[in-house]
Amino acid sequence: MTLVLRESLLQDSALYLENFDALLANNETEAKETEIPVKNLLQDLRNFPKDVFLAGRRFSERREDLINNGFLSFPFPRPPYLLRKNYGKLAWRKTVSWQGI
């Protein structure tokens, strides 16, 4: 992880960690095993001078741990299927050129 943080600094970019929740424990046994590494990682991310975005599906379960470490939580619920489908069709129509066909 140190190399990822370093590269982000060298590139002068924000850090986006997808599936971050995979690092979080699923139960108490896993929590005891991963407690120190996760706390160290959260400390590194909190001290990181650039913006950090953590993405995952299970953040609500560990939300308090993250908030207590200086993170903000913004839920982005998945839109209903029909809305996603209609938006996809609209976006596709705008990107496809029908001229010359």
Side-chain angles (χ1 to χ4, degrees):
M1 190 64 188
T2 303
L3 292 176
V4 172
L5 297 174
R6 178 180 175 271
E7 187 65 25
S8 181
L9 286 173
L10 291 173
Q11 297 291 329
D12 193 29
S13 62
L15 190 61
Y16 176 81
L17 300 175
E18 191 169 358
N19 296 324
F20 182 78
D21 53 350
L23 297 176
L24 304 177
N26 289 325
N27 54 46
E28 289 183 29
T29 304
E30 285 183 22
K32 291 177 184 176
E33 295 172 1
T34 62
E35 184 175 346
I36 292 173
V38 170
K39 282 185 179 181
N40 291 343
L41 176 60
L42 291 176
Q43 183 68 29
D44 290 344
L45 294 176
R46 184 172 52 174
N47 293 331
F48 191 69
K50 302 288 182 183
D51 292 332
V52 177
F53 300 92
L54 307 175
R57 294 178 183 239
R58 298 185 305 120
F59 275 129
S60 60
E61 297 169 15
R62 294 287 300 262
R63 187 170 169 231
E64 288 181 20
D65 292 346
L66 295 171
I67 290 173
N68 291 339
N69 278 291
F71 292 90
L72 300 174
S73 176
F74 296 101
F76 291 99
R78 186 176 187 179
Y81 170 75
L82 190 57
L83 183 61
R84 292 192 321 267
K85 181 179 174 183
N86 289 337
Y87 180 73
K89 285 180 181 178
L90 178 64
W92 187 79
R93 283 187 204 135
K94 287 184 177 183
T95 59
V96 174
S97 172
W98 295 101
Q99 296 176 354
I101 295 180

